[in-house]
Amino acid sequence: MSSPAERYAAARRRAAQASLFPALDEFAFDLGFDLDDFQREACQSLERGSGVLVCAPTGAGKTVVGEFAVHLALRGTPTRPASPDEPRRKCFYTTPIKALSNQKYHDLVDRYGADQVGLLTGDNAINGDAPVVVMTTEVLRNMLYAGSATLEGLAYVVMDEVHYLADRFRGGVWEEVIIHLPASVTLVSLSATVSNAEEFADWLVTVRGETAVVVSEHRPVPLWQHMLVGKRMFDLFHDADAARKHDVHPELLRYTRDTLRRLELGEVRGTGADRRRGPRWRGPLRPDIVDRLDREGLLPAILFIFSRAGCDAAVQQCLAAGLRLTSPEERAEIRRVVESRVTAIPGEDLSVLGYWEWLDGLERGLAAHHAGMLPAFKEVVEELFVRGLVKAVFATETLALGINMPARCVVLERLVKYNGEAHVDLTPGEYTQLTGRAGRRGIDVEGHAVVVWSPETDPRHVAGLASTRTYPLRSSFRPSYNMAVNLVGSVGAEPARALLESSFAQFQADRSVVGLARQVQRNTETIEAYGAESVCHQGDFDEYFALRVAIGDRERSLARQGQTQRKAAAVASLERLRVGDVIRVPSGRRAGLAVVIDPATGGFGEPRPLVLTQDRWAGRISAGDFTTPAEVLARIRVPKHFNHRSPAARRDLAAEVSATGLDRHGGRRGGRSRQAAGEDHRLTQLRSELRRHPCHGCPEREEHARWAERRRRLERDTEELRQRVSGRTGSLARTFDRIVALLTARGYLTADGSVTDAGRMLARIWTEADLLVAECLRRGVWDGLSPAELAAAVSVVVFEARRDVDERASVPRGAIVDAVDATLKLWSEIEADEASRGLSVTREPDLGFVWPIYRWARGEVLAKVLASGHQLDGEMPAGDFVRWARQVVDLLGQLADSGGASTELRATARQAIAAVKRGVLAYHTTA
């Protein structure tokens, strides 16, 4: 216990701080808890008038700093309270996702009252003129470009989750806002812990002025890491010191090694089929994991499973196992909350959405959470989990993106996830983001993260993920067509170039150039040293070595020519094949005799005939399977309606191939028809010059040649480095110049840098395919369509399938076919234009959402709509349907307000919006 003197000294210090920072003292008094050191430091910087960048772990309380900016705006200037005569000061609080905006809006309304706080997202517009407005970052970007009157009096902008600027799809928006905000606005940037916070802050200083950097690695609730191996739970580290050194708990290492050894021994002892397959590791069942967490007092828990289907299956497995985690009182409250939230959804839609199974899981304290779920269902899960009514949530990683859903424990089933293109390992940053949900401040004494062990999971790898702090923030900023016309329209072409060069992307590129330039200098010095080593006393060795290089280049060129000729001959021979021709496939897995079933002639590209081999394999072959032209060895009769998918038909025809008596592999011909390299006149001449050169007779010739070869390779590498330096210096400005040239050629900008009427229309189109939408409007591609047809036609420029599908989706007959074909034709024109100018191409329109949105806009039932999705794995998930339908509505809203659209099209767009916004689309979180 402190002495009276110490207490008196502490009181004096607090009084001194209160006099220096009166606004912070007022703010802290109402909080009900003491501020952490990093929070106090950041708030003091704000009250001094400085911008601030706060980097701290998930759950550390960064948002307190953002809320202090709100307090400052409502209070007045940092030095004195606002007077009634002063213009009202504003604070905009931006978030990356609508759900987080809704959550923050409710928090601020609870504190300051509904009259003081507004909300602006794609779905909601509430009290937009309030002094404090919560919004998504895109809304603020659009305001800045439009010069909105709402910006008047703006004093503070809070950018929550600012590390989103690394997002490859939306990250550029954060940089646009930071660059374009008026200099009078104080910026509060809140970020997860990143390893290059100082670099990001250095950039903020260059574009925003004074910016304080406050970094905290401290978690307010300590996090304990564990591994679950079978039925045994182990600590990952023995203590905090071991965690710092990445030293895995010895007992865990010993037990996993023993387990792996037992598995391998079981594999060796097996016989027959068992010997080949070996014993399969069966980890703990999901219901057993939840039950284990319940018994150890580790609920509520989030169990991350990187698959939507896996999350749904986990809930069903727990229900089938009879798990029940709730009391009768909790079940009654859960049902009350659920029923109050789904009243707007029609009864027939609820059964399609699996409502009763979902409710059954909720009442037992179990739920899934992923992007395929209906947003209304996800919001209910979030609310019930935060209230402690739902105890175990099986989630994909999307739950970790900003939503305030802390738990006592987080479980990772695997350390591999699908990123849309391939299965990849979790990065240290992703691992920290996911496990950061464990430990609720003010509720839990400690949080727990559990990784489920499998034979592929090395505890040392997990220790590295848990301990690594190297996840830098990388800019994803790149100029777009919309950005270009907005910039040129607001500041002019040359100042726009300068603005782009002030982006974080260019800042990082320029910094990396410094290191590359140093490497070029070091390489140049080494090249000179290598040159000295290759000097020959008998003559000019550089000249001699150039002859050796020329000979090697000529030999490779002749070899490539021969290869090209052989491939052309193979292609020509495949084009001549007819049904019934027996050929020999010379190499590869399908080597041997084969009969042609379908010659596949007359199409585009290389011929790929369908053949049946002697081994009964049916499939298409290509010129790559032939080192020499395909030769017809015999002909047999193929039945007219031969079905190559029928095993019996394949067996009978393969027997006929064997009956020809031809040798399966044929006489091995002696290698390739070699054109003697010496027959080439130029090569003969070079070799003659080489032999006559004075250095050819040098006894140290090969030693000199080795040094010369090292120098040549280093010169080549150095030239690549120089090109990288040149490519990175001013790279964004060069891309901007190409975009401006394309827009000028297409009539969106004039030659003197003015924005045309078409350009002003493009400036108000906010979508990834902005130029394609503008071209469709200018050409009248969507004119004359009905509301349902218009919704379907515009969906092709917004929708993007989660998986690549080989065949093109069908579209309804009639006017939609013409509209879609015209859109695709315009896209191909734009793509060719972009490719010729070295620009990244606009994404190809995707027809996969045409049928679902068309049927929905025509008023058809949800079951039929979801079943009509062009999906690889069954019907379209309700959450995906709602998300894409909302994006279609957003684009239709832009068309309805577009000055470049015809009056008729604008009216049709409004009708289409009304047709789409029904049922599950009519529901959204009302603040």
Side-chain angles (χ1 to χ4, degrees), residues 359-541:
L359 178 59
D360 185 26
L362 288 177
E363 288 187 333
R364 296 192 194 196
L366 302 157
H369 187 289
H370 56 73
M373 290 171 65
L374 193 69
F377 285 14
K378 276 201 302 182
E379 288 162 16
V380 169
V381 171
E382 289 161 13
E383 180 185 343
L384 294 176
F385 188 80
V386 169
R387 290 179 57 183
L389 296 169
V390 165
K391 319 289 183 181
V393 168
F394 297 93
T396 55
E397 76 276 13
T398 51
L399 184 142
L401 301 178
I403 297 294
N404 184 23
M405 240 177 104
R408 180 167 294 166
C409 177
V410 162
V411 178
L412 298 181
E413 192 175 75
R414 296 178 68 207
L415 297 176
V416 175
K417 69 166 191 168
Y418 186 74
N419 67 358
E421 295 168 1
H423 286 89
V424 295
D425 291 336
L426 285 184
T427 64
E430 288 166 337
Y431 181 88
T432 304
Q433 182 101 35
L434 296 170
T435 57
R437 295 276 153 215
R440 298 164 297 173
R441 188 168 190 174
I443 301 173
D444 298 323
V445 177
E446 56 194 26
H448 298 267
V450 180
V451 175
V452 180
W453 183 84
S454 68
E456 300 81 39
T457 311
D458 184 346
R460 285 164 298 198
H461 173 61
V462 181
L465 287 176
S467 310
T468 302
R469 290 290 176 267
T470 53
Y471 26 95
L473 197 57
R474 293 276 173 249
S475 172
S476 61
F477 180 80
R478 61 184 176 84
S480 67
Y481 299 112
N482 169 284
M483 187 195 301
V485 289
N486 273 303
L487 281 175
V488 172
S490 56
V491 298
E494 276 310 306
R497 262 177 125 257
L499 271 173
L500 285 175
E501 289 185 326
S502 69
S503 68
F504 186 45
Q506 193 61 57
F507 184 82
Q508 288 190 311
D510 291 344
R511 278 203 167 185
S512 69
V513 161
V514 174
L516 291 175
R518 285 195 192 121
Q519 186 62 46
V520 167
Q521 181 60 38
R522 283 195 295 269
N523 285 6
T524 306
E525 292 167 4
T526 309
I527 286 166
E528 289 172 7
Y530 286 172
E533 292 290 342
S534 64
V535 170
C536 179
H537 65 283
Q538 296 202 9
D540 184 348
F541 199 84

Side-chain angles (χ1 to χ4, degrees), residues 41 51 92 174 212 219-220 223 255 344 351 435 603 634 644 724-725 768 784 809 847 879 906:
E41 182 187 345
F92 287 173
W174 274 254
R219 277 182 54 96
L223 178 65
Y255 189 80
S351 56
T435 57
H644 67 275
R724 283 168 65 189
V725 168
E768 196 183 340
L847 280 53
R906 291 205 297 271

